[in-house]
Protein backbone atom coordinates (compact mmCIF):
# COMPACT_ATOMS: atom_id res chain seq x y z
CA UNK A 1 0.00 0.00 0.00
CA UNK A 2 1.35 3.43 -0.97
CA UNK A 3 1.34 6.51 1.22
CA UNK A 4 -1.48 8.09 -0.80
CA UNK A 5 -3.57 4.95 -0.38
CA UNK A 6 -2.95 5.06 3.35
CA UNK A 7 -3.90 8.74 3.56
CA UNK A 8 -7.19 7.89 1.88
CA UNK A 9 -7.99 5.69 4.90
CA UNK A 10 -8.13 8.78 7.11
CA UNK A 11 -11.64 10.07 7.66
CA UNK A 12 -12.71 13.70 7.64
CA UNK A 13 -12.89 13.45 11.44
CA UNK A 14 -9.24 12.37 11.54
CA UNK A 15 -8.27 15.39 9.46
CA UNK A 16 -10.40 17.68 11.62
CA UNK A 17 -8.76 16.28 14.77
CA UNK A 18 -5.29 16.79 13.32
CA UNK A 19 -6.20 20.35 12.37
CA UNK A 20 -7.47 20.94 15.91
CA UNK A 21 -4.16 19.69 17.32
CA UNK A 22 -2.10 22.00 15.12
CA UNK A 23 -4.30 25.04 15.76
CA UNK A 24 -4.21 24.48 19.52
CA UNK A 25 -0.42 24.18 19.48
CA UNK A 26 0.05 27.29 17.37
CA UNK A 27 -2.67 29.31 19.06
CA UNK A 28 -1.60 28.77 22.67
CA UNK A 29 2.04 29.43 21.75
CA UNK A 30 1.15 32.71 20.06
CA UNK A 31 -1.07 33.79 22.96
CA UNK A 32 1.59 33.03 25.56
CA UNK A 33 4.24 35.05 23.76
CA UNK A 34 1.98 38.01 22.79
CA UNK A 35 0.02 39.82 25.49
CA UNK A 36 -1.91 42.01 23.00
CA UNK A 37 -3.51 44.00 25.81
CA UNK A 38 -4.79 40.88 27.59
CA UNK A 39 -3.49 39.12 30.71
CA UNK A 40 0.22 38.35 30.54
CA UNK A 41 1.45 34.78 30.75
CA UNK A 42 3.92 33.47 33.33
CA UNK A 43 6.54 33.21 30.58
CA UNK A 44 5.94 36.83 29.66
CA UNK A 45 6.03 38.01 33.26
CA UNK A 46 9.36 36.28 33.81
CA UNK A 47 11.01 38.45 31.17
CA UNK A 48 11.09 41.44 33.54
CA UNK A 49 12.72 39.34 36.26
CA UNK A 50 15.40 38.18 33.83
CA UNK A 51 16.18 41.82 33.05
CA UNK A 52 16.35 42.59 36.78
CA UNK A 53 18.66 39.63 37.23
CA UNK A 54 21.18 40.98 34.74
CA UNK A 55 21.08 44.45 36.28
CA UNK A 56 21.71 43.00 39.73
CA UNK A 57 24.56 40.92 38.32
CA UNK A 58 26.50 44.09 37.53
CA UNK A 59 27.12 44.93 41.18
CA UNK A 60 27.24 41.39 42.57
CA UNK A 61 30.77 40.34 43.48
CA UNK A 62 31.76 37.68 42.85
CA UNK A 63 29.35 36.54 40.15
CA UNK A 64 29.56 32.85 40.97
CA UNK A 65 25.87 32.82 41.94
CA UNK A 66 24.85 34.05 38.49
CA UNK A 67 27.10 31.55 36.75
CA UNK A 68 25.61 28.74 38.82
CA UNK A 69 22.05 29.69 37.91
CA UNK A 70 22.90 29.89 34.23
CA UNK A 71 24.67 26.54 34.40
CA UNK A 72 21.56 24.99 35.93
CA UNK A 73 19.41 26.38 33.11
CA UNK A 74 21.78 24.93 30.51
CA UNK A 75 21.67 21.54 32.23
CA UNK A 76 17.88 21.60 31.91
CA UNK A 77 18.05 22.19 28.17
CA UNK A 78 20.63 19.41 27.82
CA UNK A 79 18.44 16.95 29.71
CA UNK A 80 15.34 17.62 27.65
CA UNK A 81 17.26 17.65 24.36
CA UNK A 82 18.72 14.23 25.20
CA UNK A 83 15.31 12.93 26.26
CA UNK A 84 13.75 14.17 23.03
CA UNK A 85 16.46 12.47 21.00
CA UNK A 86 15.83 9.18 22.79
CA UNK A 87 12.09 9.51 22.20
CA UNK A 88 12.69 10.24 18.50
CA UNK A 89 14.84 7.13 18.28
CA UNK A 90 12.07 5.07 19.88
CA UNK A 91 9.52 6.46 17.45
CA UNK A 92 11.69 5.70 14.45
CA UNK A 93 12.17 2.18 15.76
CA UNK A 94 8.40 1.71 15.88
CA UNK A 95 8.08 2.94 12.31
CA UNK A 96 10.79 0.52 11.20
CA UNK A 97 8.99 -2.33 12.98
CA UNK A 98 5.33 -1.30 13.32
CA UNK A 99 3.99 -4.71 14.34
CA UNK A 100 4.11 -4.06 18.13
CA UNK A 101 2.41 -0.70 17.55
CA UNK A 102 -0.23 -2.33 15.35
CA UNK A 103 -0.95 -4.96 18.00
CA UNK A 104 -1.31 -2.44 20.83
CA UNK A 105 -3.31 0.10 18.80
CA UNK A 106 -5.50 -2.64 17.36
CA UNK A 107 -6.36 -3.80 20.87
CA UNK A 108 -7.24 -0.26 21.88
CA UNK A 109 -9.69 0.40 19.08
CA UNK A 110 -10.62 -3.21 18.30
CA UNK A 111 -10.40 -2.35 14.61
CA UNK A 112 -7.62 -3.97 12.57
CA UNK A 113 -5.96 -1.56 10.15
CA UNK A 114 -2.90 -1.61 7.87
CA UNK A 115 0.38 -1.02 9.68
CA UNK A 116 1.08 2.04 7.55
CA UNK A 117 -1.98 3.76 9.02
CA UNK A 118 -0.52 3.48 12.52
CA UNK A 119 2.77 4.80 11.18
CA UNK A 120 0.98 7.85 9.79
CA UNK A 121 -0.72 8.44 13.14
CA UNK A 122 2.68 8.28 14.81
CA UNK A 123 4.15 10.96 12.53
CA UNK A 124 2.70 13.98 14.44
CA UNK A 125 4.31 12.66 17.61
CA UNK A 126 7.68 12.42 15.90
CA UNK A 127 7.35 15.86 14.31
CA UNK A 128 6.55 17.46 17.66
CA UNK A 129 9.52 15.67 19.22
CA UNK A 130 11.81 16.90 16.44
CA UNK A 131 10.50 20.44 16.99
CA UNK A 132 11.15 20.06 20.71
CA UNK A 133 14.68 18.78 20.14
CA UNK A 134 15.57 21.67 17.84
CA UNK A 135 14.10 24.18 20.31
CA UNK A 136 16.04 22.73 23.23
CA UNK A 137 19.30 22.70 21.27
CA UNK A 138 18.80 26.31 20.20
CA UNK A 139 17.92 27.28 23.76
CA UNK A 140 21.12 25.64 24.98
CA UNK A 141 23.18 27.60 22.47
CA UNK A 142 21.48 30.87 23.37
CA UNK A 143 22.16 30.31 27.06
CA UNK A 144 25.77 29.74 26.02
CA UNK A 145 25.83 33.06 24.17
CA UNK A 146 24.32 34.67 27.28
CA UNK A 147 27.12 33.21 29.41
CA UNK A 148 29.77 34.72 27.16
CA UNK A 149 28.12 38.15 27.21
CA UNK A 150 27.77 37.97 30.99
CA UNK A 151 31.48 37.22 31.27
CA UNK A 152 32.23 40.28 29.14
CA UNK A 153 30.29 42.67 31.39
CA UNK A 154 32.87 44.96 33.09
CA UNK A 155 33.09 44.85 36.87
CA UNK A 156 32.99 48.64 37.04
CA UNK A 157 29.35 49.88 37.02
CA UNK A 158 30.58 53.24 35.74
CA UNK A 159 32.05 51.69 32.60
CA UNK A 160 29.93 52.76 29.59
CA UNK A 161 29.90 49.15 28.32
CA UNK A 162 28.55 47.66 31.55
CA UNK A 163 24.79 48.14 31.35
CA UNK A 164 24.46 47.88 27.54
CA UNK A 165 26.12 44.47 27.71
CA UNK A 166 23.96 43.48 30.67
CA UNK A 167 20.91 44.36 28.56
CA UNK A 168 22.25 42.17 25.75
CA UNK A 169 22.70 39.30 28.20
CA UNK A 170 19.14 39.78 29.44
CA UNK A 171 17.77 39.70 25.90
CA UNK A 172 19.69 36.52 25.06
CA UNK A 173 18.54 34.96 28.32
CA UNK A 174 14.92 35.78 27.49
CA UNK A 175 15.22 34.39 23.98
CA UNK A 176 16.78 31.20 25.31
CA UNK A 177 13.93 30.83 27.78
CA UNK A 178 11.40 31.38 25.00
CA UNK A 179 12.99 28.60 22.94
CA UNK A 180 12.98 26.33 25.97
CA UNK A 181 9.28 27.00 26.58
CA UNK A 182 8.52 26.25 22.94
CA UNK A 183 10.33 22.95 23.29
CA UNK A 184 8.31 22.08 26.39
CA UNK A 185 5.03 22.85 24.62
CA UNK A 186 6.06 20.60 21.75
CA UNK A 187 6.71 17.78 24.22
CA UNK A 188 3.27 18.30 25.77
CA UNK A 189 1.57 18.15 22.39
CA UNK A 190 3.63 15.13 21.38
CA UNK A 191 2.11 13.34 24.36
CA UNK A 192 -1.34 14.58 23.38
CA UNK A 193 -0.83 13.43 19.79
CA UNK A 194 -0.41 9.82 20.94
CA UNK A 195 -4.17 9.83 21.59
CA UNK A 196 -4.66 9.60 17.81
CA UNK A 197 -3.79 5.91 18.07
CA UNK A 198 -7.10 5.49 19.90
CA UNK A 199 -9.06 7.49 17.33
CA UNK A 200 -9.94 10.96 16.14
CA UNK A 201 -12.15 11.91 19.08
CA UNK A 202 -9.46 10.98 21.64
CA UNK A 203 -7.02 13.15 19.64
CA UNK A 204 -9.36 16.13 19.88
CA UNK A 205 -9.82 15.53 23.60
CA UNK A 206 -6.07 15.13 24.05
CA UNK A 207 -5.35 18.38 22.19
CA UNK A 208 -7.93 20.28 24.26
CA UNK A 209 -6.69 18.73 27.52
CA UNK A 210 -3.08 19.72 26.80
CA UNK A 211 -4.14 23.22 25.78
CA UNK A 212 -6.22 23.61 28.93
CA UNK A 213 -3.35 22.44 31.11
CA UNK A 214 -0.92 24.89 29.50
CA UNK A 215 -3.46 27.72 29.71
CA UNK A 216 -4.02 27.11 33.42
CA UNK A 217 -0.30 27.07 34.16
CA UNK A 218 0.36 30.23 32.18
CA UNK A 219 -2.70 32.31 33.04
CA UNK A 220 -4.47 30.88 36.12
CA UNK A 221 -1.80 29.28 38.29
CA UNK A 222 -0.64 30.13 41.79
CA UNK A 223 2.79 30.83 40.31
CA UNK A 224 1.31 33.60 38.15
CA UNK A 225 -0.53 35.08 41.14
CA UNK A 226 2.74 35.09 43.07
CA UNK A 227 4.55 36.87 40.25
CA UNK A 228 1.81 39.52 40.09
CA UNK A 229 1.89 40.13 43.83
CA UNK A 230 3.63 43.40 44.57
CA UNK A 231 6.92 43.24 46.44
CA UNK A 232 7.02 44.60 49.93
Amino acid sequence: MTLLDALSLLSWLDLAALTCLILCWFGIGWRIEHAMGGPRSVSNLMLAYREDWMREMVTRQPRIFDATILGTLRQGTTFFASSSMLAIGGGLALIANPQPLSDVAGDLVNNPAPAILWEIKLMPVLLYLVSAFLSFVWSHRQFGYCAVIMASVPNDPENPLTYPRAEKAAELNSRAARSFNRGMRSVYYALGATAWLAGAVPLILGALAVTGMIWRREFASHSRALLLREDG
Side-chain angles (χ1 to χ4, degrees):
M1 179 180 292
T2 65
L3 179 60
L4 291 178
D5 293 333
L7 289 175
S8 66
L9 297 175
L10 298 177
S11 66
W12 65 268
L13 188 56
D14 284 312
L15 298 177
L18 186 59
T19 302
C20 175
L21 177 72
I22 295 172
L23 290 178
C24 286
W25 172 60
F26 179 81
I28 192 66
W30 189 90
R31 180 62 185 83
I32 287 171
E33 296 178 4
H34 301 82
M36 297 297 291
R40 299 175 63 190
S41 64
V42 170
S43 299
N44 206 312
L45 291 170
M46 285 298 298
L47 298 180
Y49 286 94
R50 295 178 187 276
E51 294 174 357
D52 290 342
W53 170 20
M54 292 303 152
R55 281 193 292 267
E56 289 296 324
M57 177 201 65
V58 170
T59 55
R60 185 162 27 233
Q61 300 296 335
R63 296 172 181 172
I64 297 176
F65 177 74
D66 306 286
T68 302
I69 295 177
L70 193 62
T72 302
L73 294 175
R74 296 194 74 189
Q75 288 176 4
T77 61
T78 302
F79 170 78
F80 283 106
S82 300
S83 300
S84 299
M85 180 61 76
L86 291 174
I88 292 169
L92 292 175
L94 283 175
I95 289 180
N97 181 25
Q99 190 58 47
L101 179 63
S102 300
D103 294 340
V104 173
D107 292 339
L108 286 174
V109 299
N110 195 24
N111 182 23
I116 192 172
L117 182 61
W118 302 119
E119 295 173 8
I120 291 174
K121 289 188 174 185
L122 192 62
M123 287 304 298
V125 179
L126 285 176
L127 291 175
Y128 277 122
L129 289 174
V130 169
S131 174
F133 172 75
L134 295 175
S135 295
F136 290 136
V137 170
W138 182 229
S139 175
H140 186 270
R141 291 195 64 183
Q142 287 179 307
F143 276 130
Y145 299 153
C146 177
V148 173
I149 299 299
M150 288 171 63
S152 73
V153 175
N155 290 328
D156 182 8
E158 301 300 325
N159 191 308
L161 295 177
T162 299
Y163 284 99
R165 287 190 178 178
E167 291 176 2
K168 287 183 181 180
E171 180 67 19
L172 283 168
N173 195 293
S174 297
R175 290 182 178 273
R178 180 175 297 178
S179 296
F180 181 82
N181 291 333
R182 288 175 178 175
M184 290 301 300
R185 287 197 297 272
S186 294
V187 170
Y188 294 152
Y189 278 100
L191 294 174
T194 59
W196 199 12
L197 298 174
V201 173
L203 176 59
I204 294 175
L205 295 177
L208 294 178
V210 170
T211 303
M213 179 196 68
I214 295 175
W215 180 274
R216 188 196 67 81
R217 292 182 177 182
E218 291 286 346
F219 296 100
S221 65
H222 293 296
S223 298
R224 183 177 184 276
L226 181 62
L227 292 174
L228 288 174
R229 191 172 69 190
E230 293 190 9
D231 299 330

